[in-house]
Every structure is written in C-alpha cells, then in structure tokens.
Amino acid sequence: MGEKVVFIQGEQIDLLVKNIDHSKIYHKWVNNPIVRKYLSVEVPESLEVIKKEWFPDYRDYKNIWFEIWHKEDQIPIGMVGLIRINYIYRNAEIGIYIGETEYWGKGIGTEAINLMLGYAFNTLNFHKIVVGVNANNTQSLKIFKKIGFVEEGHLKDMEFINGEWTDLKWLSIFKKNRKG
Ligand SMILES: CC(C)(COP(=O)(O)OP(=O)(O)OC[C@H]1O[C@@H](n2cnc3c(N)ncnc32)[C@H](O)[C@@H]1OP(=O)(O)O)[C@@H](O)C(=O)NCCC(=O)NCCS
C-alpha cells in the first residue's frame, strides 16, 4: 500500500503526503453521493483520472492536498487541501472532506482545517484563506465560523443541487486575526 509519509502531525490525525496507492479509496470517497453532495462533483470521477490528474509528474504549486490519516485506527479517512493558490497575493481556498462518514462529528474536520491553517499561515506565510460553502451545508458553515472564518459574501443560485438552485457563501480568515 505504499509508504505512509507524515507531513504534519496532529492529535487525532496526521496530514500525509497523498498516495497513489490509495487512489481506489479516494475514488470511493469522491463518488459517494453523501460526501460529494456539496463538493461540486456532478460528473463521475474515474480511477484513471484520479491517478493521472491528482498525481501529475510535476510539482503542482497551485494545489496542495494532504491525506487525513486517523492515528488510532491507522487508516486514511479524508482529504484537506489548499486550491487555486495565488503566491502574489498570498491567498488560497481551502477544501475538505472526510470520506469515511462514520468519522464525522468527532472533531476531525475542525482539527484538519486548523492544521491546514497553521501550514498556510506559519509555513507558507499566506495572508488570507477563503472558503466557498453552500448555504445549505449548515454543518460545514458552523465549523468554519467556529474556527474564526467570517462571512464576506452571499451569492444567489450558484449551485444546482438535488433539483434546486442553492446559494453559496464565501468566508475568509486572515493570518493577522488568527491566534497560533
Ligand atoms: C464538513 C466536514 C469536513 C466536517 O467534518 P467533521 O469531522 O464531521 O467536523 P467536526 O467533527 O470537526 O465538527 C462537527 C461537530 O462535531 C463537534 N465536535 C468537535 N470536536 C469534537 C470532539 N472532540 N468530539 C465530538 N464532537 C466534536 C463539533 O463541535 C461539531 O458539532 P456541531 O454538530 O454542533 O456543529 C464533513 O462533514 C464532510 O466531509 N462533509 C462532506 C464534504 C463537505 O461538505 N465538505 C465541506 C465543503 S465546504
């Protein structure tokens, strides 16, 4: 199953370098209707595309994804990433999903976002991180607000989900407003 490479250590979880040998697991997560509901995955993601596009043969500076590894159970459970990175303005979007849904509600999403913010602000010296959250994704909104993200914008009818138009909220957090 390839080697497990810890990049950032946490409490319940570590953030690992993503692993092409886990492509089948990633494939299962992103195509799961419960997981992908608010991830804008409307078209099936094939295993071949995951292996090719998620693992290009160059260093992808625009997108940095980590695998979320459950320390006690010793299994991969999700992904957290910085996407659409802009090194001139030092900002990026954050993306997260816990693919193994039985691990929801245990504080893991919160820990993964906090570890990623530590990396973005303290290692990469970014200025600002933003996130687009569907207005109906109440669980996710609550988590980002609890962490310190502040709502900046509300855009109407941005995503068509389960037969209805839904709104998108944009939230952000600045390095200067974050402790630690
Ligand atoms: C959004 C998502 C990443 C959240 O992950 P999560 O691990 O379930 O989130 P958390 O456990 O940190 O927070 C959820 C709840 O657990 C609570 N919690 C926090 N620490 C806890 C702990 N140690 N023990 C038990 N519960 C805890 C939180 O307070 C929160 O409570 P709430 O239900 O009152 O809001 C996950 O639901 C997911 O993958 N969803 C699908 C993809 C998605 O929507 N991604 C976000 C796109 S913006």
Side-chain angles (χ1 to χ4, degrees), residues 29 32-36 77 98-106:
W29 294 341
N32 179 344
I34 299 160
V35 179
R36 68 176 167 80
I77 56 166
I98 311 289
E100 304 292 342
T101 53
E102 64 272 30
Y103 288 85
W104 287 12
K106 296 176 189 296

Side-chain angles (χ1 to χ4, degrees), residues 89-91 117-130 147-149 152 172-180:
Y89 304 125
R90 297 180 14 243
N91 60 45
L117 290 177
Y119 173 65
F121 292 141
N122 303 329
T123 301
L124 302 179
N125 195 23
F126 283 179
H127 175 64
K128 178 181 188 178
I129 298 297
V130 302
I147 289 170
F149 281 76
E152 281 198 24
S172 75
I173 188 165
F174 289 88
K175 179 175 178 173
K176 62 176 189 264
N177 295 339
R178 192 170 183 265
K179 348 163 228 331

Side-chain angles (χ1 to χ4, degrees), residues 12 34-39 68 77-79 94-101 103-113 131-134 137-144 146-147 168:
Q12 288 197 81
I34 299 160
V35 179
R36 68 176 167 80
K37 183 172 181 189
Y38 295 116
L39 294 179
I68 302 170
I77 56 166
M79 306 281 282
I94 189 166
I96 179 160
Y97 53 91
I98 311 289
E100 304 292 342
T101 53
Y103 288 85
W104 287 12
K106 296 176 189 296
I108 291 172
T110 305
E111 186 180 351
I113 295 163
V131 65
V133 184
N134 189 283
N137 194 354
T138 43
Q139 177 85 332
S140 187
L141 279 173
K142 208 163 151 187
I143 294 167
F144 280 106
K146 216 188 272 181
I147 289 170
L168 189 71

Side-chain angles (χ1 to χ4, degrees), residues 21-120:
D21 293 337
H22 293 174
S23 295
K24 272 195 176 166
I25 302 169
Y26 306 156
H27 182 240
K28 179 186 75 173
W29 294 341
V30 288
N31 288 295
N32 179 344
I34 299 160
V35 179
R36 68 176 167 80
K37 183 172 181 189
Y38 295 116
L39 294 179
S40 304
V41 181
E42 288 85 12
V43 178
E45 193 86 325
S46 75
L47 186 58
E48 290 68 28
V49 165
I50 289 174
K51 283 187 178 166
K52 212 169 157 186
E53 292 191 359
W54 295 23
F55 297 91
D57 61 358
Y58 55 87
R59 186 175 289 120
D60 184 1
Y61 280 109
K62 292 259 175 199
N63 305 282
I64 303 172
W65 283 96
F66 294 115
E67 182 182 280
I68 302 170
W69 178 267
H70 195 277
K71 291 169 78 160
E72 199 180 325
D73 295 352
Q74 291 283 301
I75 51 159
I77 56 166
M79 306 281 282
V80 61
L82 295 174
I83 56 176
R84 286 184 268 275
I85 295 174
N86 186 318
Y87 290 96
I88 296 175
Y89 304 125
R90 297 180 14 243
N91 60 45
E93 275 177 55
I94 189 166
I96 179 160
Y97 53 91
I98 311 289
E100 304 292 342
T101 53
E102 64 272 30
Y103 288 85
W104 287 12
K106 296 176 189 296
I108 291 172
T110 305
E111 186 180 351
I113 295 163
N114 275 318
L115 288 173
M116 201 49 154
L117 290 177
Y119 173 65

